[in-house]
Amino acid sequence: MTDAWWKSAVVYQIYPRSFADSDGDGMGDLRGIIQHLDHLAGLGVDVLWLSPIYPSPQDDNGYDISDYQDVDPLFGSLEIFDELLAAVHERGMKLVMDLVVNHSSDEHPWFVESRGSVSAAKRDWYWWEPAREGMEPGTPGAEPNNWGSVFGGPAWEFDPGTGEYYLHLFSRKQPDLNWENPAVRSAVHEMMRWWLDRGVDGFRMDVINFISKVPGLPDGPVPAGSAYGDGSASFLNGPRIHEFLHEMYEQVVKGREALLTVGEMPGVTVEQAKLYTDPDREEVDMVFQFDHVWADRGPDPWALQRLKLTDLKAIFGRWQAGLADLGWNSLYWNNHDQPRVVSRYGDDGEFRVESAKMLGAVLHLHRGTPYIYQGEEIGMTNYPFGGIGDFRDIEALGQYAQAVEEGRDPEDVLTVLRARGRDNARTPMQWDTSPHAGFTTGTPWLPANPRYPEINAALATKDPDSVYHWYRRLIELRHTEPAVVEGDFTMLLPHDEQLYAFTRRLGPTELLVIGNFSGTPARAELPDPAAWSSAELVLNNTAQPPADWVLGPWQAVVYRREVTA
Ligand code: GLC
């Protein structure tokens, strides 16, 4: 295993289509990224992760790849990519690529060949099945099993050319690759080595715990009110997943220095994550789990549920404890699939700045590698979406269509999409006060958030009290204070519904972090307040330090002490 350099690193995710447009076509591109690298270097991040830039029909904004070894002309070219990589390395940062290999695009030559005939050489590179026994192929209900797709509708598409169906856990333009086939696996390994040889520093692996499926693909249970079965028991953390990841490690990662691999793993448990990230097992360095971003999801997907802070603490506490001795956490609030955290778990009105800072501090001071999603560092907020016509995301559109077909009230569905929809994360990065937030001189593919005159990078970098400079200080603290990286984690006040508090301890150094997750003052009933009476106040997001341990609205404080006894 390579050294664990990423334990003290902070990663910044770029969603290229929404980051910066250099040529006025309304779509972000690689030159746009190059032009803004100093914003990122100034923040102090160590690694950039690029969402997919490969040639793609853009059915799912590039998570449907038709050529794994090139750059989509929308974003630039391989030459410009090499320029970007060199510019990133020159600034002492690393670059991690998105690896989307649970599925390809249906326009990938592999799939084009596969669908050509039942005897095509690449037929079994994908999951082809005949109609359900006794059913007429192509008729309603004749799909090989009852699974629904993540984006709404069935997980199977009928192909009239050969009279069979192919599996797509996501859109019909994202057919699932058949990892049972060793030729598929070695083609993926070869492609990954090609990028590493080009100089990239690792991979973020898209839904990588979906790649091993239970043979036979049995029907799943049908949730109440749903038209489709839930097949996840047959593809989440499937029977050969550890074998496939270890093989990938052996074939691709082994012997290369200073890489980062992170597996996106919806539905992963702490126990499974321990296996995935135990260095001796040689699989991945860390995983993205989802429990804390599903904490405000009730049993009914189309009814908004408020976060209970005690639930959030129970989740983080479980993950911190579970991976304390073996394995490693990743830490995130936001990415291109999540609504803006300040709108979700904070207050994007009166206390936008305070709550964005509080959320940043609480997250970054856990044990694990923090990820920042573009715009989070300036406290960007959700977009005021109106009707369904305002949404562009295939998930929002597909789920809306299915829910309405299942008889849901469209207004209820819209309420949830406005609060949780992925397009909230995908509006243009807000750079300055010029039209479209300085993202483009043309017409942006998704409009800029109307709050950009107040929330933008130009203002934030100039203001020493901004969210940006607070994030910069959090990153600096991780780089300079070993207790942030290696310290033991202890959750305090697990039953408090307003305050989030914990300590980190390494040798004699102990940090105390307290965040108020509410707009009303709250007193921290610490187990041993006297121990902290002369501690140094390292960070405070408001003008006044707490008096008698009463934190103001959305206040966050970090103390440090040296334990003498
Ligand atoms: C992952 C990506 C998401 C994409 C899906 C299918 O969850 O983060 O954006 O839609 O996989 O590739």
Side-chain angles (χ1 to χ4, degrees):
M1 204 72 189
T2 52
D3 72 56
W5 62 273
W6 31 258
K7 287 191 176 178
S8 58
V10 177
V11 183
Y12 185 98
Q13 181 192 356
I14 294 177
Y15 194 64
R17 38 186 305 127
S18 305
F19 191 66
D21 174 21
S22 72
D23 60 7
D25 66 355
M27 186 76 78
D29 49 46
L30 297 185
R31 282 217 187 287
I33 300 174
I34 295 175
Q35 288 163 4
H36 286 94
L37 283 180
D38 289 333
H39 171 83
L40 306 173
L43 190 59
V45 296
D46 305 277
V47 182
L48 306 182
W49 146 32
L50 287 190
S51 276
I53 55 165
Y54 315 98
S56 162
Q58 301 289 328
D59 190 50
D60 184 19
N61 291 359
Y63 282 88
D64 49 315
I65 297 170
S66 53
D67 181 350
Y68 287 108
Q69 290 173 229
D70 204 346
V71 171
D72 196 295
L74 272 179
F75 298 122
S77 63
L78 275 175
E79 289 65 43
I80 303 175
F81 175 81
D82 289 339
E83 259 178 63
L84 168 64
L85 185 58
V88 169
H89 286 164
E90 256 165 48
R91 287 167 177 78
M93 297 185 287
K94 293 178 185 283
L95 189 71
V96 161
M97 302 296 276
D98 220 304
L99 179 81
V100 188
V101 290
N102 172 67
H103 44 267
S104 71
S105 163
D106 66 335
E107 297 182 34
H108 193 293
W110 295 345
F111 187 76
V112 173
E113 186 183 333
S114 182
R115 91 184 311 168
S117 81
V118 287
S119 56
K122 289 200 168 60
R123 186 65 169 180
D124 62 355
W125 280 44
Y126 294 85
W127 293 90
W128 289 99
E129 295 289 338
R132 199 178 272 270
E133 231 183 292
M135 303 277 294
E136 181 62 29
T139 59
E143 290 82 14
N145 72 23
N146 69 354
W147 298 358
S149 88
V150 175
F151 293 160
W156 295 93
E157 180 72 3
F158 180 60
D159 177 51
T162 56
E164 290 189 334
Y165 293 79
Y166 64 85
L167 176 69
H168 60 87
L169 294 179
F170 294 89
S171 95
R172 59 166 62 93
K173 290 187 66 62
Q174 293 169 299
D176 281 55
L177 281 158
N178 176 12
W179 278 70
E180 297 295 315
N181 184 339
V184 168
R185 305 202 298 274
S186 59
V188 169
H189 301 155
E190 194 183 316
M191 172 272 281
M192 293 173 75
R193 287 191 297 262
W194 184 86
W195 282 104
L196 293 177
D197 290 344
R198 212 170 182 97
V200 311
D201 303 293
F203 298 98
R204 173 270 184 187
M205 303 173 178
D206 193 68
V207 289
I208 202 69
N209 64 331
F210 288 22
I211 61 177
S212 165
K213 276 103 176 159
V214 170
L217 311 177
D219 281 342
V222 182
S226 173
Y228 300 98
D230 170 8
S232 57
S234 297
F235 61 78
L236 285 190
N237 312 300
R240 297 181 70 188
I241 184 66
H242 293 289
E243 173 196 339
F244 291 163
L245 287 178
H246 179 66
E247 180 187 53
M248 183 186 278
Y249 180 91
E250 290 265 314
Q251 295 297 319
V252 178
V253 173
K254 201 178 186 123
R256 300 196 189 238
E257 293 299 313
L259 302 185
L260 182 155
T261 56
V262 49
E264 187 209 19
M265 300 200 181
V268 68
T269 64
V270 176
E271 284 311 309
Q272 289 155 348
K274 232 190 234 179
L275 298 177
Y276 286 123
T277 64
D278 171 354
D280 289 340
R281 294 175 54 91
E282 304 186 318
E283 296 184 22
V284 292
D285 296 327
M286 60 192 101
V287 307
F288 290 133
Q289 57 84 19
F290 281 65
D291 293 346
H292 67 301
V293 292
W294 288 345
D296 59 355
R297 206 168 73 162
D300 178 352
W302 301 116
L304 265 192
Q305 179 156 307
R306 260 188 73 82
L307 174 74
K308 260 185 87 185
L309 186 62
T310 45
D311 291 345
L312 188 71
K313 289 192 283 191
I315 290 165
F316 272 110
R318 202 172 66 240
W319 278 91
Q320 292 285 301
L323 299 184
D325 301 323
L326 202 61
W328 191 247
N329 281 293
S330 65
L331 305 169
Y332 73 96
W333 288 131
N334 274 119
N335 59 42
H336 63 292
D337 296 330
Q338 299 297 330
R340 294 286 176 180
V341 71
V342 67
S343 301
R344 183 185 206 173
Y345 292 162
D347 173 354
D348 65 7
E350 185 187 351
F351 294 109
R352 182 186 68 86
V353 170
E354 289 81 356
S355 64
K357 289 178 177 176
M358 186 280 293
L359 288 161
V362 165
L363 186 79
H364 279 236
L365 299 176
H366 279 76
R367 185 181 161 93
T369 299
Y371 287 70
I372 300 170
Y373 177 68
Q374 66 186 43
E376 184 180 341
E377 79 281 21
I378 56 170
M380 275 175 62
T381 56
N382 276 357
Y383 182 90
F385 289 104
I388 190 68
D390 288 351
F391 292 87
R392 294 287 171 279
D393 174 22
I394 185 168
E395 177 177 84
L397 301 176
Q399 291 183 347
Y400 178 85
Q402 182 180 318
V404 170
E405 201 181 297
E406 286 166 354
R408 304 301 307 229
D409 180 344
E411 230 358 88
D412 289 349
V413 180
L414 278 172
T415 301
V416 173
L417 289 178
R418 287 183 196 117
R420 303 284 151 74
R422 308 195 298 180
D423 279 335
N424 283 301
R426 301 175 179 187
T427 61
M429 175 68 187
Q430 292 156 212
W431 291 108
D432 56 37
T433 55
S434 63
H436 310 302
F439 163 71
T440 180
T441 54
T443 306
W445 72 274
L446 199 59
N449 192 306
R451 296 181 68 178
Y452 75 81
E454 161 214 354
I455 307 170
N456 63 66
L459 285 177
T461 45
K462 267 186 247 134
D463 172 5
D465 285 331
S466 66
V467 178
Y468 176 87
H469 285 290
W470 177 266
Y471 266 75
R472 196 179 50 67
R473 287 200 288 272
L474 288 172
I475 297 166
E476 202 175 272
L477 190 60
R478 174 165 292 268
H479 288 160
T480 53
E481 174 55 73
V484 173
V485 179
E486 293 289 356
D488 290 341
F489 178 96
T490 305
M491 187 71 84
L492 306 177
L493 316 180
H495 305 298
D496 194 308
E497 287 295 356
Q498 274 177 286
L499 297 177
Y500 197 123
F502 57 89
T503 58
R504 302 291 311 280
R505 170 89 185 255
L506 183 69
T509 305
E510 191 169 30
L511 303 174
L512 169 66
V513 181
I514 316 176
N516 184 353
F517 266 71
S518 82
T520 47
R523 183 163 191 277
E525 306 290 346
L526 295 176
D528 185 12
W532 296 94
S533 55
S534 56
E536 173 198 358
L537 181 58
V538 181
L539 284 172
N540 175 12
N541 68 344
T542 53
Q544 294 298 325
D548 197 23
W549 298 105
V550 177
L551 273 75
W554 303 101
Q555 187 166 12
V557 285
V558 181
Y559 292 92
R560 175 174 33 212
R561 67 174 186 136
E562 296 299 314
V563 182
T564 42

